[in-house]
Amino acid sequence: AGEGRPGLAATLRALNGALGRPEGLCVKESGARNLRHRDFLAPRAALNAAFPGGQVPADIMSGVTSLGGPGVLEVRGCQETPAGLAVQLRRPEAFRRLLGSPSVPSPSPPPSGPRVVLHCPALRRPAALRPRHLRPLLLADHLAQLLRAQGVGVRLVPALPEEGSREVLRQLRIDWPSSSGGLALLDAISALKQALGRSPCAAACEQAPGAAALPEDVICKVHLKSFVEEQGLVGYDPNLDVLLVTEEKLRSLAELQQAVLQCTVSNPVALPAFRFRDLISFCQGSCCSSIVHVVSCEEEFQQQQLDLLWRILDPGAHTALQKHLVCGPVKVTNPSSPIGADQYFQLRKHQMYEASVMKYGELAEGE
């Protein structure tokens, strides 16, 4: 049996039980200055009413120190003070348990249950992660945990291409797949190129006199605006027009296709309203492979381009089930030089540590 999700309420109940006063002798400390020395307090007035002379017997003190049970946080120690009986938790362990993921395993989705593909484009270039990528990355990981906890099968895309990029993910405690599609992925890219050659929206790139040279990896151009108008699609940026298709873009689509193929697909459903709280119910209610792109607002335009390119090359039910979850910006004020996601994370961690020291004192060290 699991130990239960730890919590302050369960710990407070256990403390009062150990003191023999389940009606509520201890209280949670909330004063910034007092938190440097204690987490809970049995006030002196309450002790005077509960025990002769207000002195807590040694056996009860021992029981408080050795407190345990489902969901109860470990006690570091307790001592009599003029204010009452002060109780302090083992804070490093308490923080780890309170902030960590539940130890209860997520239920496995049934073979015919709902499936969702979570796509985080920021990880396509993990070595160049910037602060703006942290929010979509964390949100994608959090959404995956929520969906899995409710029995939804989740596939994370893209697979990480470089082992060295895992340092930031390790710091964020994010587990992301790293395998690749191999030959199957190459076959999918080849099939997309063939579809591109047949598409009426695609055209060869002609070099106009005096125009800047096109990148070498450009395959052709695709007219997105006319496609949006023909299909009557709404919600797309009105500035979407011509997209230069590259090998990298086709690889991104091929990996998404591979993820969809590995999910059970049946009975397409209508798209719900474009709100975050709808996503879980949307994914639960669909037996199709729902695709959710989690992107920063700075990269929303590029993801809409890929969305439309995929619809053009693969007009199946799954491409109509694409949703865009757009995150707000993460700004760094007046950086002396471009700052990476790992540097930003360490900076914020240091700032939070300094804030903890100001509130809790030097006891925050190492916690």
Side-chain angles (χ1 to χ4, degrees):
E3 63 174 3
R5 184 68 170 164
L8 295 176
T11 305
L12 188 58
R13 286 193 298 270
L15 280 172
N16 285 317
L19 291 170
R21 299 295 187 275
E23 67 274 9
L25 183 63
C26 268
V27 294
K28 175 71 181 75
E29 183 58 72
S30 58
R33 179 177 297 179
N34 293 329
L35 279 169
R36 298 185 179 188
H37 313 291
R38 65 193 186 221
D39 296 295
F40 298 94
L41 177 70
R44 176 58 57 194
L47 293 178
N48 289 336
F51 302 103
Q55 297 298 310
V56 181
D59 59 329
I60 293 182
M61 293 274 284
S62 177
V64 170
T65 305
S66 59
L67 205 62
V72 177
L73 298 169
E74 292 186 38
V75 173
R76 178 183 181 183
C78 62
Q79 62 177 347
E80 293 269 12
T81 69
L85 182 65
V87 179
Q88 190 176 67
L89 300 175
R90 295 185 183 274
R91 289 181 177 174
E93 179 63 24
F95 289 160
R96 278 192 291 269
R97 292 179 63 191
L98 287 169
L99 300 177
S101 300
S103 58
V104 180
S106 301
S108 299
S112 59
R115 298 289 191 272
V116 61
V117 174
L118 282 182
H119 176 217
C120 188
L123 285 175
R124 295 205 173 275
R125 290 178 297 277
L129 283 177
R130 292 289 179 259
R132 67 176 182 271
H133 297 133
L134 289 174
R135 186 168 287 169
L137 180 55
L138 288 167
L139 187 54
D141 178 68
H142 180 62
L143 184 56
Q145 292 184 42
L146 290 179
L147 290 170
R148 285 169 176 156
Q150 299 190 41
V152 177
V154 177
R155 293 199 66 84
L156 298 173
V157 178
L160 288 180
E162 299 176 13
E163 189 62 30
S165 65
R166 289 198 170 274
E167 179 58 26
V168 174
L169 299 185
R170 185 191 63 78
Q171 293 176 353
L172 297 174
R173 299 181 183 179
I174 292 177
D175 185 20
W176 202 273
S178 58
S179 60
S180 62
L183 292 176
L185 190 63
L186 295 177
D187 291 341
I189 294 174
S190 177
L192 287 172
K193 287 181 178 178
Q194 294 176 18
L196 197 59
R198 297 189 299 266
S199 174
C201 297
C205 293
E206 298 179 357
Q207 189 73 34
L214 295 173
E216 293 182 359
D217 61 342
V218 171
I219 300 172
C220 68
K221 62 182 179 181
V222 171
H223 296 276
L224 301 179
K225 190 170 187 177
S226 58
F227 177 76
V228 171
E229 293 171 350
E230 290 171 4
Q231 299 295 318
L233 301 175
V234 296
Y236 289 89
D237 193 302
N239 296 311
L240 288 167
D241 193 0
V242 175
L243 172 66
L244 298 179
V245 181
T246 63
E247 188 87 16
E248 181 183 1
K249 290 182 174 65
L250 293 183
R251 183 180 182 86
S252 299
L253 296 185
E255 192 165 3
L256 283 167
Q257 278 191 326
Q258 290 295 300
V260 170
L261 287 174
Q262 294 172 20
C263 297
T264 303
V265 180
S266 63
N267 300 329
V269 297
L271 292 176
F274 185 76
R275 292 175 297 180
F276 172 73
R277 63 176 176 268
D278 292 326
L279 284 173
I280 293 181
S281 58
F282 166 55
C283 296
Q284 284 181 307
S286 171
C287 290
C288 283
S289 294
S290 312
I291 299 104
V292 180
H293 306 287
V294 188
V295 295
S296 66
C297 56
E298 293 96 332
E299 296 170 344
E300 179 184 6
F301 185 83
Q302 289 82 357
Q303 189 53 50
Q304 286 192 11
Q305 289 178 320
L306 278 183
D307 173 313
L308 292 172
L309 178 61
W310 197 12
R311 289 173 184 261
I312 290 171
L313 300 182
D314 185 6
H318 52 277
T319 57
L321 290 175
Q322 297 181 78
K323 300 290 287 183
H324 295 246
L325 183 55
V326 183
C327 306
V330 176
K331 295 187 180 294
V332 181
T333 305
N334 299 324
S336 57
S337 60
I339 183 172
D342 53 344
Q343 296 170 294
Y344 180 81
F345 178 80
Q346 293 300 328
L347 174 63
R348 292 293 293 134
K349 185 177 180 181
H350 181 68
Q351 290 173 341
M352 292 177 68
Y353 169 74
E354 289 184 333
S356 296
V357 170
M358 291 178 63
K359 184 172 183 179
Y360 299 110
E362 291 301 326
L363 288 173
E365 183 175 356
E367 301 179 10

